[in-house]
Amino acid sequence: MKSIDTIKRFQQPGMVECGPAAVCAAISLYPDWMPKFSVGSITTAAGVTETIQNRGTTVAELAKGVEVLSDRQLKLLYKVSGTIDDIRALVDQGVPVVVDWQGSTLEGSDGNKGHYSLVIGVDDQTLRMVDSLPDFPGVRTVSVDSFEKLWWDTDSVFDKSGTERIVSTNHLLFIIVPTSKSKDVILQFALSSGNTYPGS
């Protein structure tokens, strides 16, 4: 795994690909796997080619894409009700953290501005992010106070019959780690496997 300072930014090609773009940025720490990952390949592997334009991607869908493209060698782990201290502790260990927050400058079709960004640094005042929106080609910074007020989102999830349910998430974060290390990280940070996210 490379240093967190070497993370590569991926720009989302449209209004809704922030999830796959954030995953690509996180995967850029794993050069052996990077050739398989692109915004398009994650979209396909996650099974959202037909739905991403209308509702973006959920954690469960992104987790599926990661596992398929890495032959289950990488795992997406998530947490709801995360804290700034969680983010700081993970980043301090060299693990970038994807957050789901109201950080988009583009109004979503569901009336909120849900957006995935990759946090690469945090101190008492500021978070530093690698962001896929064209408005933020460099490192994006946001104050901790502002971020915490905007750290929420809603997802449309569908059961096997196609019935929609709205899932509200507060302080959702996720990371991608080698599957061989996932049990230790789950215990240390009280994370869950992405394939247990509602709608998976």
Side-chain angles (χ1 to χ4, degrees), residues 46-57:
V48 296
T49 304
E50 302 297 322
T51 59
I52 191 169
Q53 292 300 321
N54 292 327
R55 56 181 181 85
T57 48

Side-chain angles (χ1 to χ4, degrees), residues 22-95:
V23 167
C24 283
I27 295 292
S28 70
L29 285 181
Y30 303 100
D32 291 347
W33 291 109
M34 195 63 243
K36 289 191 171 190
F37 283 81
S38 68
V39 171
S41 68
I42 294 170
T43 301
T44 300
V48 296
T49 304
E50 302 297 322
T51 59
I52 191 169
Q53 292 300 321
N54 292 327
R55 56 181 181 85
T57 48
T58 67
V59 168
E61 291 161 342
L62 294 171
K64 177 183 175 185
V66 167
E67 291 198 7
V68 168
L69 292 175
S70 72
D71 299 321
R72 299 189 181 276
Q73 298 302 302
L74 297 173
K75 196 161 190 68
L76 186 153
L77 306 175
Y78 82 97
K79 183 175 188 175
V80 177
S81 300
T83 66
I84 294 295
D85 285 341
D86 288 331
I87 297 174
R88 183 181 292 108
L90 285 159
V91 169
D92 285 350
Q93 292 186 22
V95 180

Side-chain angles (χ1 to χ4, degrees), residues 17-171:
E17 299 90 355
C18 57
V23 167
C24 283
I27 295 292
S28 70
L29 285 181
Y30 303 100
D32 291 347
W33 291 109
M34 195 63 243
K36 289 191 171 190
F37 283 81
S38 68
V39 171
S41 68
I42 294 170
T43 301
T44 300
V48 296
T49 304
E50 302 297 322
T51 59
I52 191 169
Q53 292 300 321
N54 292 327
R55 56 181 181 85
T57 48
T58 67
V59 168
E61 291 161 342
L62 294 171
K64 177 183 175 185
V66 167
E67 291 198 7
V68 168
L69 292 175
S70 72
D71 299 321
R72 299 189 181 276
Q73 298 302 302
L74 297 173
K75 196 161 190 68
L76 186 153
L77 306 175
Y78 82 97
K79 183 175 188 175
V80 177
S81 300
T83 66
I84 294 295
D85 285 341
D86 288 331
I87 297 174
R88 183 181 292 108
L90 285 159
V91 169
D92 285 350
Q93 292 186 22
V95 180
V97 177
V98 179
V99 292
D100 185 11
W101 66 305
Q102 299 300 294
S104 176
T105 57
L106 305 170
E107 185 76 28
S109 61
D110 59 353
N112 67 46
K113 298 179 182 181
H115 183 59
Y116 293 105
S117 299
L118 184 73
V119 180
I120 59 168
V122 58
D123 58 32
D124 291 340
Q125 304 291 326
T126 308
L127 286 88
R128 293 185 300 118
M129 301 176 172
V130 173
D131 197 287
S132 59
L133 285 167
D135 298 2
F136 305 102
V139 173
R140 182 179 184 181
T141 59
V142 61
S143 75
V144 169
D145 287 344
S146 295
F147 172 74
E148 289 203 284
K149 292 173 187 169
L150 298 170
W151 194 6
W152 63 273
D153 197 13
T154 58
D155 282 332
S156 292
V157 298
F158 297 83
D159 64 22
K160 292 179 181 177
S161 70
T163 302
E164 180 180 15
R165 183 165 53 93
I166 303 299
V167 174
S168 296
T169 56
N170 289 308
H171 293 204

